[in-house]
Amino acid sequence: MRYLAPIFFPVCCILFVASCFFMTTGCMNRSSSVVDSLDADTVEIVKEETAPLDSLSKMISEAPMPKAADELFEDFFFNYAANVDVQRARTIFPIVYEDNGLEVFIENKKEWKRESFFMADGYYTILCQDQKQLKMIGDTTTSEVTVQKLSFTEDEVREWYFSRIRGKWCLRSIHVKDMSETPDYEFLQFYNKFATDTLHQESYLAQYVTFKGPDPDEDFSTMEGDIMREQWPMFKPWLPENEFYCIRYGKKNNIASDKRYFFIRGISNGIQTDLVFIRKGKTWELIKVEA
């Protein structure tokens, strides 16, 4: 068994510069900055501190979207979520709004109401099913992306379908449906149970979980190695639950894949957590955490 060995790094503050408009890097091969892990109380504070995000949204809404923002979807979408003018310009009208089989058309820009998406939450998630989808995150040729609002309390999912058309990302349709109709329903149900059932969370872990993240015993340092189930309470990261936004890359879902990559990304607040799950018989288990 490998023991966790501390490695010391200087603290790196993740600052968002408005002119850069949320430039992202690769998921699993990036070098991680040292950030403080957030517990439930901390994330409530993050949600309450909306003033900086409101100011950021105002700054973005007052500036034109840079052409480079269309290269990567997350760069584009940050602008789309923050700026109602971008939403009206990059939505194809008339657009269908389908709510559990009932179709309504939003005919033009005047009827469009701004959707703030995850801006008020201060974070969003990304869910990938295989290496092909992982590569799409940083691929400038990616052409299909779905943004989901997952509501486990309502057992419902709201989906926005985006396509790259002549080099520009545009919203094509909106759909609301029961969560059971989503192809990845089995994993999503497992994830919510994993995130909320803290009493039995350890039973959903691999025997040894690969870990890289803040050292709970040493400030301003990080650790990497394997942790055992009984060590989990010391290292477990904050996890979104009940209702949150998720970005899904690609048009097709590989639900037969035995892996799921779940990433949590904060907006100008330092939240950055990667989790990897594998299928274990009829359920799933966590095998890797990087925070």
Side-chain angles (χ1 to χ4, degrees):
M1 183 187 78
R2 291 185 293 123
Y3 291 94
L4 288 167
I7 299 177
F8 295 88
F9 288 88
V11 178
C12 298
C13 296
I14 302 176
L15 299 177
F16 178 84
V17 181
S19 61
C20 292
F21 289 98
F22 198 65
M23 302 307 288
T24 55
T25 58
C27 282
M28 300 304 290
N29 295 323
R30 57 175 167 69
S31 58
S32 298
S33 297
V34 179
V35 295
D36 294 331
S37 60
L38 299 179
D39 57 19
D41 293 335
T42 306
V43 82
E44 288 302 322
I45 294 173
V46 170
K47 289 183 178 180
E48 290 174 4
E49 293 177 347
T50 57
L53 289 176
D54 291 341
S55 299
L56 189 58
S57 296
K58 187 175 185 297
M59 289 173 60
I60 295 174
S61 65
E62 293 174 349
M65 185 173 71
K67 293 181 180 180
D70 271 310
E71 293 185 3
L72 298 177
F73 177 78
E74 287 170 67
D75 295 347
F76 155 76
F77 191 69
F78 192 85
N79 285 269
Y80 187 89
N83 192 326
V84 66
D85 292 331
V86 173
Q87 290 184 17
R88 289 169 177 157
R90 293 299 187 89
T91 299
I92 299 177
F93 295 102
I95 185 170
V96 63
Y97 182 101
E98 182 182 347
D99 189 342
N100 289 300
L102 179 63
E103 289 188 353
V104 177
F105 284 89
I106 303 172
E107 296 293 339
N108 52 54
K109 297 178 181 179
K110 292 182 180 180
E111 295 181 10
W112 179 262
K113 294 182 180 180
R114 180 194 169 191
E115 174 64 58
S116 60
F117 297 96
F118 49 67
M119 293 299 292
D121 298 333
Y123 72 93
Y124 63 98
T125 70
I126 304 171
L127 179 60
C128 296
Q129 297 167 322
D130 51 33
Q131 290 291 327
K132 184 177 180 180
Q133 285 188 332
L134 282 177
K135 292 177 181 178
M136 288 182 183
I137 296 175
D139 189 347
T140 57
T141 65
T142 299
S143 60
E144 299 284 343
V145 176
T146 302
V147 175
Q148 298 177 318
K149 182 180 182 180
L150 301 168
S151 177
F152 294 94
T153 54
E154 300 293 334
D155 198 28
E156 181 181 86
V157 58
R158 188 180 303 264
E159 298 181 326
W160 292 263
Y161 293 96
F162 290 85
S163 296
R164 194 198 298 269
I165 301 173
R166 292 188 292 276
K168 295 183 177 181
W169 285 104
C170 297
L171 176 65
R172 301 192 64 176
S173 62
I174 307 168
H175 299 264
V176 181
K177 55 190 177 184
D178 292 340
M179 192 172 290
S180 60
E181 296 180 35
T182 61
D184 218 3
Y185 178 68
E186 176 194 4
F187 175 77
L188 291 174
Q189 290 298 103
F190 160 78
Y191 169 79
N192 193 54
K193 186 176 181 180
F194 176 81
T196 58
D197 187 5
T198 55
L199 290 177
H200 300 93
Q201 201 171 66
E202 294 173 27
S203 64
Y204 308 127
L205 306 177
Q207 184 175 4
Y208 296 103
V209 177
T210 302
F211 177 86
K212 183 177 181 180
D215 184 342
D217 297 322
E218 295 286 345
D219 292 337
F220 313 130
S221 65
T222 190
M223 320 175 67
E224 61 180 307
D226 294 333
I227 61 174
M228 297 179 290
R229 290 174 178 173
E230 55 266 31
Q231 294 176 291
W232 178 248
M234 295 173 58
F235 297 96
K236 66 178 182 179
W238 171 80
L239 299 173
E241 58 186 65
N242 297 327
E243 185 172 285
F244 54 89
Y245 287 88
C246 183
I247 296 178
R248 307 290 295 269
Y249 282 82
K251 191 173 184 179
K252 295 182 179 179
N253 290 311
N254 181 16
I255 58 174
S257 171
D258 289 333
K259 266 192 177 182
R260 293 295 185 273
Y261 303 86
F262 187 76
F263 306 131
I264 306 165
R265 295 291 180 264
I267 303 172
S268 192
N269 56 26
I271 301 175
Q272 185 165 303
T273 306
D274 299 346
L275 301 100
V276 182
F277 298 88
I278 61 168
R279 193 191 304 272
K280 192 75 171 181
K282 294 183 178 180
T283 186
W284 296 80
E285 64 180 27
L286 179 68
I287 63 169
K288 182 177 181 179
V289 177
E290 186 170 343

